[in-house]
Amino acid sequence: MLRPSLTTPAGPALFEFAVGGVLLPRKPHNLHNPPHGGFVAAWLPFGGVRVGAVCVPTRPSRNGWGVVVTFAVEEACGPIDFRVRIDPSIESGWCTGQGLAAIAYGASGVTVYVGGPDEGVANWLPAVDRALPVPVTGLGWRITGAAAGETIERHCAIAWGHGETGEYEAWTAVDTRVDLIRRAQ
């Protein structure tokens, strides 16, 4: 694996980051794939920010994953962007819940949800977002700026299920918190 990603029934979920309008290298400096699946990744300081990401299974059936991204700011910087995207040719649609932003992808009778907190969520309009690659699909978060010494965490979850019950379980799995993802480590 050259870059952090997860395999889902709708295709790989890719993780992308930008600092100050500049895309981070897709390949992290360090990338480890633990035996339980997922990944641990770290990039060299970029634009005055160290980026690290941890992805762990959050459901025993292995169709739910939690991701925590940490931005350690060494120098004040402009916007920091974090996005998760799946193949843009897959049919998708926005979903919302109380405090939750999510996108549902339908593929071969399975619904894949990518979700996270609605605070700081960006809708990735092409006219606004030039740092992250187009086509601009996926769910992402923008931190408008950060001061030196700040450590900022963002999280998301990816889950999928078959049929009405499986879809409900996947939907509830993406409505998660950082502490629950960390507990699964």
Side-chain angles (χ1 to χ4, degrees):
M1 177 192 305
L2 295 177
R3 64 188 287 190
S5 67
L6 284 173
T7 302
T8 78
L14 304 175
F15 300 87
E16 300 167 323
F17 309 94
V19 175
V22 179
L23 186 66
L24 264 72
R26 290 182 179 205
K27 183 179 178 183
H29 179 68
N30 290 314
L31 180 61
H32 173 67
N33 300 103
H36 60 67
F39 59 82
V40 177
W43 284 259
L44 291 173
F46 189 87
V49 178
R50 287 184 182 273
V51 179
V54 175
C55 175
V56 296
T58 56
R59 298 179 65 195
S61 58
R62 297 186 55 86
N63 63 347
W65 299 87
V67 179
V68 177
V69 180
T70 303
F71 303 98
V73 181
E74 297 173 346
E75 301 171 19
C77 66
I80 300 171
D81 296 311
F82 159 45
R83 179 175 65 188
V84 182
R85 68 183 177 99
I86 293 179
D87 183 347
S89 68
I90 302 288
E91 185 177 332
S92 64
W94 281 92
C95 307
T96 59
Q98 186 174 5
L100 173 69
I103 293 182
Y105 296 87
S108 303
V110 178
T111 301
V112 178
Y113 290 101
V114 176
D118 61 4
E119 178 185 351
V121 76
N123 59 9
W124 306 116
L125 298 173
V128 175
D129 175 39
R130 294 289 182 211
L132 295 175
V134 290
V136 284
T137 59
L139 184 62
W141 293 266
R142 172 165 281 168
I143 301 159
T144 56
E150 280 190 83
T151 299
I152 302 165
E153 286 188 329
R154 290 294 182 263
H155 71 281
C156 70
I158 300 167
W160 55 90
H162 301 269
E164 194 172 307
T165 302
E167 286 182 29
Y168 175 76
E169 289 173 359
W171 171 254
T172 58
V174 299
D175 190 6
T176 191
R177 302 183 320 260
V178 170
D179 63 311
L180 296 176
I181 296 170
R182 289 214 181 276
R183 197 175 312 152
Q185 285 183 303

